[in-house]
Amino acid sequence: DIQMTQSPSSLSASVGDRVTITCRASQSINTYLNWYHQKPGKAPKLLIYAASSLQSGVPSRFSGSGSGTDFTLTISSLQPEDFATYYCQQSYSTPRTFGQGTKVEIK
Amino acid sequence: QVQLQESGPGLVKPSETLSLTCTVSRGSINSDSWSWIRQPPGKGLEWIGYIYYSGTTNYNPSLKSRVTISVDTSKNQFSLKLSSVTAADTAVYYCARERPTGYYYYVDVWGKGTTVTVSS
C-alpha cells in the first residue's frame, strides 16, 4: 500500500492568513493526488484533483501543487468557512489511501 | 447533481454481518465506479473498496476476506456487506462516487454518511 503522510497534523491560523499543508507519498504517484476537506459531522468535500486541478465550484483561494512524492495544498487567504480537517488521497493505485488529516483551527 | 443516500442498521452485534445500501438519485449508476469509505470515531478515512457499474470490484486487502460490494442497476443502488464484525468496525460509513477525468480518479460525490456501531 502507498502510505500518505501529511504535515502538520494540526495548525492554528487567523482569518486572512496564508496556509500551507504538505502531503508526502511513500512512493512516486505522479500527480494522482486529491485534496478534500471535512467539517465536523459532514462528509468530505473534494477541493483539488490531479494535484493541481480545482474542482468546479471551489474558491480560487485553494491551490495545489507537486508531483512525484511531495505535494502542497495552499489556501491563499484563510476564510472562516475554511476551518476544517484537510485530507490528501492518492489515486495512483488501489487500495486508495488517505493522509491522516490536518486540522486547521482558529487562532 | 447526483445524490447518494446510505441506509441500513445502525447497530450490529459482534460476529454478525454489517449490511448497508446506497441509493443513487438524480443520476444513473450505469457509469463511473461506486465506493464505500469509512471513518472510525475521531479518526481518518479508510477506503473499503469500489464496484464498477459493470460489476467489477476492487477491495482493500486489509478487509478483502470480509467484504462484498454489489450493484443493482435496476434499483440504482449498490450495497456493502462486511462479515464477522468487531468493535473495530464501528465507524461512519460513506458511500461515494469515484469518477475519472482522463486517467485521474477522484471522489466527487459523497453520501451524508451513516453511523454503524458494533456492540452486543
Side-chain angles (χ1 to χ4, degrees), chain A residues 47-97:
Chain A
L47 301 172
I48 301 283
Y49 65 94
S52 61
S53 296
L54 194 67
Q55 170 67 349
S56 176
V58 174
S60 60
R61 63 181 179 271
F62 292 94
S63 64
S65 64
S67 67
T69 60
D70 295 315
F71 301 88
T72 298
L73 174 71
T74 299
I75 310 171
S76 61
S77 178
L78 196 67
Q79 297 302 300
E81 59 268 31
D82 301 335
F83 292 95
T85 300
Y86 290 77
Y87 294 95
C88 61
Q89 179 219 19
Q90 63 82 18
S91 59
Y92 178 83
S93 66
T94 58
R96 305 291 192 230
T97 46

Side-chain angles (χ1 to χ4, degrees), chain B residues 19-92:
Chain B
S19 296
L20 297 175
T21 296
C22 183
T23 300
V24 179
S25 59
R26 299 188 181 184
S28 172
I29 203 168
N30 289 312
S31 64
D32 302 316
S33 55
W34 304 91
S35 304
W36 289 97
I37 295 165
R38 70 180 183 178
Q39 185 170 36
K43 296 188 177 181
L45 299 162
E46 180 181 28
W47 181 80
I48 298 170
Y50 61 58
I51 187 166
Y52 287 110
Y53 66 95
S54 61
T56 302
T57 55
N58 193 314
Y59 300 140
N60 192 323
S62 68
L63 299 168
K64 188 173 183 177
S65 63
R66 301 193 290 129
V67 170
T68 302
I69 299 175
S70 58
V71 64
D72 186 337
T73 54
S74 68
K75 294 182 178 180
N76 237 28
Q77 294 177 333
F78 62 106
S79 298
L80 169 70
K81 291 188 184 299
L82 182 65
S83 64
S84 304
V85 297
T86 69
D89 295 309
T90 294
V92 175

Side-chain angles (χ1 to χ4, degrees), chain A residues 1 31-32 34 36 38 42-44 46 49-50 55 87 89 91 94-96 98, chain B residues 37 39 43-45 47 50 58 60-61 94 98 103-108 110-111:
Chain A
D1 299 5
T31 54
Y32 294 91
N34 306 317
Y36 305 85
Q38 184 181 34
K42 300 293 187 182
L46 177 68
Y49 65 94
Q55 170 67 349
Y87 294 95
Q89 179 219 19
S91 59
T94 58
R96 305 291 192 230
F98 294 86
Chain B
I37 295 165
Q39 185 170 36
K43 296 188 177 181
L45 299 162
W47 181 80
Y50 61 58
N58 193 314
N60 192 323
Y94 295 101
E98 182 182 87
Y103 293 106
Y104 295 97
Y105 291 82
Y106 48 86
V107 175
D108 68 335
W110 298 71

